[in-house]
Amino acid sequence: RGTHCVVSRGLAGSAPSASVCPTRPMSAPGAPSTAQQAAQTISQAVSRQDGAGLAAALRLDLGNTALIAQLNSSPPLEQICGRALVEPWDELLLEQLHYIKAAAAGEHEAAYSHCERAAACFQAAFEKESDWPVPALHSLCLNLRRAAAAADAALVAKGERAARQQEAARTMQKFFQVCVTDRAPLPVSKKWGALVVINALFHVYFAINNLRLCQNLIRAVEGPAFPKALDGQTVEGRHFAKAEVVTYKYFTGRLALLNSDFGAAERQLSWAFERCPRAATGNKRLVLRYLVPVRLALGVFASEALLRKYGLDYFVPLCRAVHRGDLNAFEEQLATHQQRFIRHGSYLLVERSKLIVYRNFFRRVALLHPDKSTKLDIKRFQACLKATNTEMEVDEIECILANLIYCGYIKGYISHAHGKLVVSKGAPFPPLRELGLTSAV
């Protein structure tokens, strides 16, 4: 029997750029170098019910120069596939080969059409088979979403509407339904392939900005019939690949951020970062793009060494500004890197840290009051703000203080009549980490 898990090749959840290619630049190890080899490998995999062998045979890419050279010589592909394979496997391979040929020629719309038909052929076989083809889901979903992204980029370049990624999502939804509705016992269930498809759908939904559909996938995962193995557990002898679980945690962490559930986001993203392989520096950097600002909101500051290690140097002065309560430095860094944060989809999250800057600034001013007074003069806050070239009316300062009190950053109340902030004697500025924030700041 084939392997139980499929290894994820990446986390990238940002929308693909126009230069995204549907295939990888280097040929996968063990991939067939001719159409005849591919047909023979698939034939053996089907007869032996070898999921890993099937996945390897379908892992065809643009780095396979020998195969592409053969395809460009116009061999009789229908005969090659028809002689070695039965339906629908023959048509599956035929469409895969046409997909590679079209992609290599830069014909991205045609490549997507072939890729989609290959997926339909696989679905027809997958519905009738047991769980053994599950490892091939990764290769097919990866090809499909990348082909769709490239096709959409080509359509946009011509001034036409981009809709191929939406079509790809509908196709992958069919894979998902086959997996989650399988009634076979858990040790031989197709449900173990669902996480691969879910992650591929997350990629697409983030790319086309249709995040509401992600909740349907999460509900299915949290349902009683789904394998409870999302923290690395082994259930009835089966487990999800760690790479797939890391990818799932990454996307659900980002979704939690969008819902302003910072506590859940920190847990999910921390899990993903800690278990992402040390050598996968690119993926670790992707996780940190969101983990660093969410921890800012929770009062945890990434070390300078960590940020520089993963090429996130632009966070260093920002974290320093938040920690010191330096409003001017924070505004300067936010403006400098605004486009970068917008591109990463984290601008609003970083901007929310401004309230933490205010909290830390007011805390420093409070320490200037004699004898640890619990009645703090709001005009002193105003004077200190003015000293940092920040002009602000008393009413505006009171509004910020009221927001800080509401969010739990300050324990106290405002005496408007006396112009005072009256704070608690014990921990008037509670440690941020202890607040367990789950709402917007």
Side-chain angles (χ1 to χ4, degrees):
R1 183 172 295 278
T3 57
H4 293 156
C5 305
V6 183
V7 176
S8 174
R9 293 192 178 190
L11 296 173
S14 304
S17 65
S19 62
V20 165
C21 177
T23 49
R24 292 196 169 268
M26 296 184 64
S27 179
S33 58
T34 65
Q36 290 86 347
Q37 285 184 9
Q40 189 62 32
T41 303
I42 292 177
S43 177
Q44 292 175 357
V46 172
S47 63
R48 298 171 182 173
Q49 296 193 342
D50 177 9
L54 178 64
L58 295 176
R59 202 174 298 130
L60 307 174
D61 54 55
L62 296 185
N64 200 328
T65 54
L67 176 61
I68 292 172
Q70 184 196 28
L71 296 178
N72 288 334
S73 67
S74 301
L77 295 179
E78 290 190 20
Q79 293 182 20
I80 293 171
C81 298
R83 287 173 184 170
L85 299 166
V86 296
E87 293 183 358
W89 301 106
D90 57 343
E91 188 176 353
L92 167 59
L93 177 58
L94 180 64
E95 295 296 345
Q96 278 284 97
L97 294 173
H98 282 311
Y99 153 65
I100 290 298
K101 182 178 179 181
E107 300 169 358
H108 298 302
E109 295 171 66
Y112 170 74
S113 297
H114 289 301
C115 198
E116 186 179 38
R117 287 196 286 271
C121 293
F122 179 81
Q123 182 193 348
F126 191 41
E127 289 176 342
K128 299 175 183 177
E129 296 284 351
S130 62
D131 68 321
W132 73 265
V134 160
L137 280 171
H138 181 269
S139 296
L140 288 162
C141 288
L142 183 67
N143 288 343
L144 187 61
R145 67 178 178 82
R146 289 184 166 179
D152 274 351
L155 289 169
V156 169
K158 295 192 301 183
E160 299 180 20
R161 178 174 174 267
R164 297 297 178 263
Q165 290 182 90
Q166 294 181 12
E167 295 173 7
R170 287 193 288 270
T171 298
M172 288 189 284
Q173 274 284 356
K174 296 175 183 177
F175 288 165
F176 175 69
Q177 289 299 323
V178 173
C179 290
V180 297
T181 58
D182 187 29
R183 297 184 178 181
L186 204 53
V188 291
S189 176
K190 294 175 185 175
K191 289 185 174 72
W192 294 101
L195 202 59
V196 172
V197 185
I198 288 171
N199 288 336
L201 285 167
F202 278 156
H203 275 283
V204 175
Y205 291 152
F206 269 82
I208 64 177
N209 197 27
N210 196 352
L211 303 184
R212 62 182 179 82
L213 295 178
C214 294
Q215 296 303 322
N216 298 331
L217 303 175
I218 294 174
R219 279 194 290 270
V221 170
E222 294 176 348
F226 201 83
K228 304 306 175 187
L230 288 180
D231 289 311
Q233 307 97 317
T234 297
V235 179
E236 297 191 33
R238 301 288 294 268
H239 64 276
F240 292 116
K242 183 183 291 186
E244 291 300 339
V245 181
V246 165
T247 304
Y248 179 80
K249 298 281 189 180
Y250 165 75
F251 280 117
T252 53
R254 288 186 61 185
L255 287 169
L257 283 181
L258 294 172
N259 292 326
S260 298
D261 189 347
F262 295 152
E266 199 272 342
R267 288 191 298 274
Q268 301 285 62
L269 292 170
S270 293
W271 199 101
F273 180 77
E274 291 165 4
R275 289 162 179 80
C276 192
R278 208 176 269 182
T281 54
N283 285 345
K284 283 180 138 344
R285 185 183 303 114
L286 282 173
V287 177
L288 284 174
R289 279 182 187 172
Y290 305 97
L291 183 56
V292 169
V294 77
R295 283 186 169 175
L296 275 180
L298 296 172
V300 180
F301 303 94
S303 70
E304 182 175 341
L306 178 72
L307 295 173
R308 296 197 187 283
K309 177 181 178 180
Y310 290 102
L312 299 173
D313 304 60
Y314 54 89
F315 271 120
V316 173
L318 188 72
C319 290
R320 189 180 297 126
V322 176
H323 185 260
R324 293 177 177 176
D326 190 335
L327 287 164
N328 291 328
F330 178 82
E331 292 285 6
E332 180 184 347
Q333 290 301 314
L334 189 63
T336 300
H337 301 290
Q338 180 180 23
Q339 292 304 315
R340 184 198 302 269
F341 292 137
I342 291 174
R343 190 168 60 250
H344 294 166
S346 61
Y347 178 78
L348 293 178
L349 173 63
V350 175
E351 189 182 38
R352 284 170 177 164
S353 299
K354 186 173 183 178
L355 202 57
I356 309 295
V357 182
Y358 278 120
R359 179 260 187 199
N360 290 343
F361 176 83
F362 290 140
R363 179 177 177 272
R364 292 177 67 187
V365 174
L367 294 175
L368 299 176
H369 281 70
D371 303 323
K372 296 183 179 180
S373 173
T374 59
K375 296 178 181 180
L376 310 179
D377 191 348
I378 293 178
K379 287 191 175 180
R380 178 169 289 190
F381 290 144
Q382 185 183 36
C384 290
L385 284 168
K386 187 175 182 179
T388 62
N389 299 317
T390 303
E391 297 285 346
M392 199 174 288
E393 297 295 329
V394 170
D395 288 346
E396 190 176 355
I397 296 173
E398 288 184 356
C399 182
I400 295 171
L401 289 171
N403 202 4
L404 289 167
I405 292 169
Y406 174 78
C407 291
Y409 294 144
I410 297 176
K411 288 183 178 180
Y413 63 91
I414 297 171
S415 175
H416 179 72
H418 297 91
K420 301 288 185 180
L421 171 67
V422 183
V423 296
S424 168
K425 290 183 179 180
F429 294 85
L432 295 172
R433 188 67 174 178
E434 296 177 4
L435 297 178
L437 298 177
T438 58
S439 59
V441 297

